[in-house]
Amino acid sequence: MKFMKKKLCTTIIPWIINASIYYGLIALAAEGNIRLTAYLNFILGNGSLFYYMTMLCGCYLVVWKLVKHEGVLWMLVAINILSVLLTAKGILGSSVYAEQLIFTYLNPYLNIFNWIGIFSFGVLAKRHNLLQHLINLEMKMSIIFFLICASVSVLLIRLDNGNTYWTNYSLLIECMISCCILLIAKYFPYRLGKCLEYVGTITLPIYFWH
């Protein structure tokens, strides 16, 4: 319960305040009326950038109750992979990658199964110190691993015509780019590494105002 109370203050309230201000400014700029349904859609991320907050809070609620069940977390990772692949094919919502669309009314950005596995994997990675193992690689192995991740990411992005959401390779690309950022933070000059660490602590306000 303490965890959810903390998230109420650090995540949910800032989300509502920022989304409300943003929606108000858009409504004023468009000289339109503020409608409750449009306002709620905007806050929940149906057609706005705040979809991430809806999914983040949904993941908090799900994983908060299942965090002790490792098997369930791995199952959520598998479901996430399947959901993204089905989205890429247009079966679970619209996708620029799909030739034929089915169930196009389903917004892939608001499909929690497209996100819950990423969140679950983060919990598992922390539990098993996977990121620490990556950071502890020797310099030679780190450079080789960085070059492989960066090269494969560029190749896959090119194969997906620059699209990095809801494609066959999107999860793999995101994983490898995350590894690259960690290695950059480790080996680049001290100030740059500290700068990246600091950015990591303020990602939420950056997301609100980007």
Side-chain angles (χ1 to χ4, degrees):
M1 188 59 67
K2 289 182 179 179
F3 173 79
M4 294 310 298
K5 287 182 178 178
K6 180 181 178 180
K7 293 304 175 185
L8 175 66
C9 297
T10 61
T11 304
I12 297 176
I13 292 177
W15 164 28
I16 301 299
I17 292 174
N18 280 275
S20 299
I21 294 172
Y22 195 3
Y23 177 78
L25 291 173
I26 291 175
L28 288 173
E31 297 182 354
N33 296 323
I34 296 178
R35 293 180 292 114
L36 180 60
T37 53
Y39 170 67
L40 292 176
N41 266 292
F42 189 86
I43 285 183
L44 294 176
N46 189 14
S48 77
L49 61 89
F50 294 101
Y51 67 87
Y52 174 74
M53 300 308 302
T54 302
M55 294 297 96
L56 179 63
C57 291
C59 289
Y60 279 146
L61 287 172
V62 174
V63 177
W64 173 49
K65 289 295 185 181
L66 300 175
V67 68
K68 295 181 181 179
H69 305 283
E70 184 161 325
V72 176
L73 294 178
W74 282 114
M75 182 181 71
L76 291 174
V77 172
I79 290 173
N80 196 148
I81 294 171
L82 178 61
S83 181
V84 170
L85 291 175
L86 291 175
T87 300
K89 298 301 182 184
I91 296 174
L92 287 180
S94 59
S95 168
V96 295
Y97 194 76
E99 295 180 1
Q100 185 176 3
L101 303 180
I102 306 172
F103 301 126
T104 54
Y105 59 84
L106 179 62
N107 184 340
Y109 291 91
L110 290 175
N111 177 5
I112 195 169
F113 295 113
N114 282 344
W115 304 98
I116 189 66
I118 300 172
F119 199 88
S120 299
F121 184 74
V123 174
L124 292 165
K126 182 178 180 181
R127 180 176 297 172
H128 295 286
N129 293 318
L130 298 183
L131 298 182
Q132 194 60 48
H133 292 322
L134 175 63
I135 292 173
N136 289 340
L137 286 175
E138 295 180 358
M139 179 175 286
K140 183 178 179 180
M141 288 301 299
S142 295
I143 294 173
I144 293 172
F145 189 65
F146 174 85
L147 291 174
I148 291 173
C149 287
S151 300
V152 174
S153 295
V154 171
L155 175 62
L156 294 179
I157 291 172
R158 287 178 64 87
L159 287 175
D160 280 334
N161 298 316
N163 300 309
T164 54
Y165 273 96
W166 324 132
T167 72
N168 289 330
Y169 309 115
S170 57
L171 291 176
L172 185 58
I173 292 169
E174 290 161 14
C175 222
M176 290 189 292
I177 290 176
S178 297
C179 291
C180 288
I181 293 172
L182 281 173
L183 293 173
I184 289 172
K186 175 184 177 182
Y187 285 110
F188 269 59
Y190 177 80
R191 287 185 178 179
L192 178 57
K194 284 298 179 182
C195 180
L196 289 173
E197 287 181 17
Y198 174 69
V199 169
T201 66
I202 59 170
T203 51
L204 190 60
I206 288 174
Y207 180 79
F208 283 148
W209 296 106
H210 79 290

